Amino acid sequence: MLERLAEAGVFAPIDVQLARTLGALDPAAGEPLLLGAAWASRAVGMGHVCADLRRVLARPLLDREGEPLRDVRLPTMFEWVMALGQGGSVVGDGSEPTPLVFDGDARLYLFRYFDYQRRLAADLRRRAQRQHAAAPDLGRLLEQLFAPVAGFVADPRQREAAAVASLRGLTVLSGGPGTGKTTTVVRMLALLQTLALREHGKPLRVALAAPTGKAAARMVEAIGASIAALPCDAAVIAALPRTATTIHRLLGFRPGAPTRFSHDADAPVLADVVLVDEASMIDLALLTKLVDAVRPDARVILVGDKHQLASVEAGAILGDLCDAGTREDGGRSAALAEALAPAGFAIDVDAAAPAVADCLVDLVHNHRFRDEGGLGSLAEAIKRGERDRALTLLRHGGGGAVRLVPLSDGAAVPATLRPLVLAALQPYLATDDPAARLQALGAFRVLCAHRRGAFGVERINAVIERLLLESGRLAADGPWYDGRPVLVTANDYQLGLFNGDVGVVARDVAGQLRAFFPGEDGSLRALPPSRLPAVETVFAMTVHKSQGSEFDRVALVIPPQTSPLLTRELLYTGVTRARHGVTLLGTPEVVADAIGRRIERASGLRDALWR
């Protein structure tokens, strides 16, 4: 059975090898147990924390061409439960280390991921239960910090998020583009520093982090732009952080041991507040190691958009934390309601609400997109799964902000892209100045759902390069040429370059080709191309790689065939990378199919937090 499923592409070689190894460790293990082991391994490879065996049985088995496997009979759920419940030395309940962990119902884990989940759930529950005394003048401070200024008018949930951060050890702030996450974060930190300076005479040590260098740089830029409008004392302004780093760098990346870090529970990060942006991108293993390395008495603040794509690695942490929206606008604990009442908040009390419910704030009011029929409306329609409304918006153009360009044939890709990219990239190609190029590069990006294939990012980048060469906009006689935009795909801590950083190739004053990257202080760093870590051309990039970035306009390439990668979350993430307009290149049928397909990551974290 293992061989048959491996030949069909259901299992990878590592999945089969794990099953065989467990069979050698326990010769009494039968076929149901070994198949379960292979599914547990395959699940992690597909981004799940565990194998949900009921889900495995509920879906048809397909080969690598998408055809049903009709000659394969999987164990029944009863057979799986019996085999795993009596799994001998290789299956346990998690109380002691065993290669596999079965929860007694339907979830089968590799022990490492069960342990990550258990540790993370326990840590987040403890932090959610940690209470800080409410300031007697909390309401006045919030009114001052969130007072209308320069066209900004806060909504009640922004004020509530800042209040929650002052009262709890854990805060989870979710919201889409334009809902005011950065504005809220800056005022949240200003409130915490105001209270710390008043109570202790010194500011809190705040660490800002993000999964990628690009996301960290964007966070610093956005926070820096918001600080100037704060109605605060100079001491509070001075106490606000001006730098951010990647999570790996914050934890102390060790090149010789890439899965271990310098900071852990025994050597925690020196910070009183750790705030992490783009939390939807963080996988289970990394977030577990991060919270392990934050002192128990320090605050953890997670910021992101729960509707975006989940991490590439195992887990959908932000979705699990936010309970996938099933408790949206639900009640809070009586303790939190009592603490917030003097500040003017009327909170519904739910006696059965778990501690994590007190820590969640979802921003829903959009301050940026106030259009009817434009970009904001399209993002909202996709998020809600409203296929007909989304297609109507795309067909009618949304005032020029959104449109659908038919594309169903790989041979038509160059002709379809030509007018779009030549016009959009003209400002980038018209300048030789590296700083101006970097700025112009942020105005437009082609995004792809896939990496390979006729509509994948590898081919699309090659097509765009060829179009620019044929039009005389570029001159290239090798892989490194003047005008090549590059995306770093591997961390290099010695050079200070990280996965997701974007640079441009240009000539320096001596006429030598150099790769220019923005530095933390806003200056440009020039590096010889030969010194760079792994990079790829980035006229186009995958939607996954685009997380943490924003562009004025986006062209989103959708292949004409449905696939598991084409989901509502992918479309929403791609569309919301644009500030002003998006062009979808694809077919209405596949767009509609993608909007109707949700990412479902198997995990037990939600139950561990919410039950």
Side-chain angles (χ1 to χ4, degrees), residues 338-356:
E338 182 180 354
L340 289 177
F345 293 96
I347 304 295
D348 292 334
V349 175
D350 179 359
V356 70

Side-chain angles (χ1 to χ4, degrees), residues 9 81 98 129 156 192 325 541 547:
V81 169
T98 53
Q129 292 164 0
L192 294 178
M541 65 198 309
Q547 292 186 92

Side-chain angles (χ1 to χ4, degrees), residues 121-158:
D123 188 286
L124 294 178
R125 285 196 306 267
R126 282 194 299 268
R127 294 182 189 278
Q129 292 164 0
R130 184 175 179 81
Q131 301 182 26
H132 297 267
D137 58 344
L138 180 59
R140 181 189 64 80
L141 291 174
L142 291 172
E143 289 296 333
Q144 175 186 329
L145 287 169
F146 287 90
V149 59
F152 162 72
V153 179
D155 70 78
R157 292 196 182 191
Q158 291 177 288

Side-chain angles (χ1 to χ4, degrees), residues 15 36 206 246 275 374 567:
D15 309 327
V206 179
T246 64
L275 188 149
T567 62

